[in-house]
Amino acid sequence: DTGVSQNPRHKITKRGQNVTFRCDPISEHNRLYWYRQTLGQGPEFLTYFQNEAQLEKSRLLSDRFSAERPKGSFSTLEIQRTEQGDSAMYLCASSRQGGPSNTEAFFGQGTRLTVV
Amino acid sequence: AQSVAQPEDQVNVAEGNPLTVKCTYSVSGNPYLFWYVQYPNRGLQFLLKYITGDNLVKGSYGFEAEFNKSQTSFHLKKPSALVSDSALYFCAVRDIRYGDDKIIFGKGTRLHILP
């Protein structure tokens, strides 16, 4: 169990550019979550997957955000035409689905995005 | 839809004293409840969870939490605080009844343990 891995750890981009983040979950976990966290706030739900199926996308997300998990393993989060308000920590988490012993999510270290 | 409230932005406790960090929740079905801790520049670490059974659950680093269904609360507790417990604490809920079982987090409570 190598834990949840996120890359890159830091990303600085100019406003208007596109960025893509990658998350590698714990290998046997079929649930994968994306959250956004700003300084001193709680993780804000963005979207989550069951295997390759995207179950829900937050209504707070604009169409500039898209996420994929094509083979049910790693996931990518893309932000198009970045804005300064997109600056935040983007967190990925994974969990098993089903059963009382398989409920908690494990988080990666996050990708910190700065839009200048 | 599920939601979580952490009514205190910050809690200050003297080292050695007991601590409580409050959390209330709202779900349509049955809740799975969690506490996570976040140290500066680190990811969230899982502390403990309530699924079913005994209302008092024990977790990592001497923390425990008490589930109260009538008050829809899940307060985090520790009998004797350490300076190293200073961190940001998040309560989270997962509503497992209707299939919409994403995990939703509260805004967090900053815990300061004073030496």
Side-chain angles (χ1 to χ4, degrees):
Chain A
D1 182 351
T2 58
V4 178
S5 177
Q6 292 188 247
N7 288 288
R9 293 289 308 278
H10 304 273
K11 178 70 176 179
I12 300 174
T13 191
K14 292 184 179 180
R15 188 175 52 185
Q17 297 294 306
N18 298 345
V19 294
T20 300
F21 309 141
R22 176 176 170 129
C23 172
D24 288 89
I26 295 171
S27 58
E28 64 269 27
H29 286 182
N30 50 13
R31 281 282 171 94
L32 186 147
Y33 305 82
W34 284 100
Y35 293 86
R36 177 171 60 191
Q37 186 181 25
T38 53
L39 192 63
Q41 298 298 309
E44 175 189 18
F45 170 78
L46 296 180
T47 188
Y48 75 133
F49 293 84
Q50 170 81 10
N51 299 315
E52 66 275 10
Q54 188 172 20
L55 298 184
E56 184 176 339
K57 181 178 176 181
S58 171
R59 287 170 290 179
L60 299 175
L61 276 191
S62 76
D63 292 340
R64 298 184 296 106
F65 287 73
S66 63
E68 294 182 339
R69 195 182 182 198
K71 297 183 180 179
S73 56
F74 73 92
S75 176
T76 58
L77 177 69
E78 181 182 19
I79 309 174
Q80 296 182 327
R81 304 181 302 282
T82 52
E83 302 172 357
Q84 286 188 323
D86 297 332
S87 296
M89 177 75 83
Y90 290 83
L91 298 169
C92 177
S94 69
S95 72
R96 292 188 180 96
Q97 186 263 344
S101 63
N102 299 323
T103 57
E104 64 270 26
F106 295 88
F107 280 80
Q109 296 279 57
T111 295
R112 182 170 296 283
L113 173 65
T114 303
V115 182
V116 298
Chain B
Q2 62 270 56
S3 65
V4 175
Q6 293 182 242
E8 303 154 317
D9 291 336
Q10 182 169 309
V11 171
N12 297 322
V13 177
E15 186 177 23
N17 282 2
L19 68 86
T20 299
V21 182
K22 296 179 180 177
C23 171
T24 58
Y25 67 91
S26 175
V27 297
S28 301
N30 298 317
Y32 287 172
L33 293 156
F34 311 91
W35 277 100
Y36 286 80
V37 61
Q38 188 175 35
Y39 297 99
N41 300 315
R42 302 284 295 275
L44 275 73
Q45 297 177 34
F46 169 73
L47 274 181
L48 52 77
K49 66 182 177 183
Y50 171 81
I51 304 301
T52 187
D54 194 349
N55 290 342
L56 185 66
V57 293
K58 296 185 182 298
S60 306
Y61 312 119
F63 284 94
E64 56 191 27
E66 186 169 13
F67 171 66
N68 187 316
K69 187 173 183 178
S70 63
Q71 297 185 4
T72 61
S73 67
F74 188 56
H75 301 331
L76 181 70
K77 300 180 179 184
K78 188 173 183 181
S80 179
L82 300 172
V83 172
S84 57
D85 293 330
S86 298
L88 196 52
Y89 290 81
F90 295 101
C91 182
V93 65
R94 185 174 177 181
D95 184 349
I96 53 90
R97 181 173 175 181
Y98 293 106
D100 175 16
D101 61 344
K102 59 184 178 288
I103 303 174
I104 298 299
F105 286 80
K107 294 185 180 299
T109 298
R110 187 165 298 280
L111 179 62
H112 283 290
I113 307 301
L114 308 171

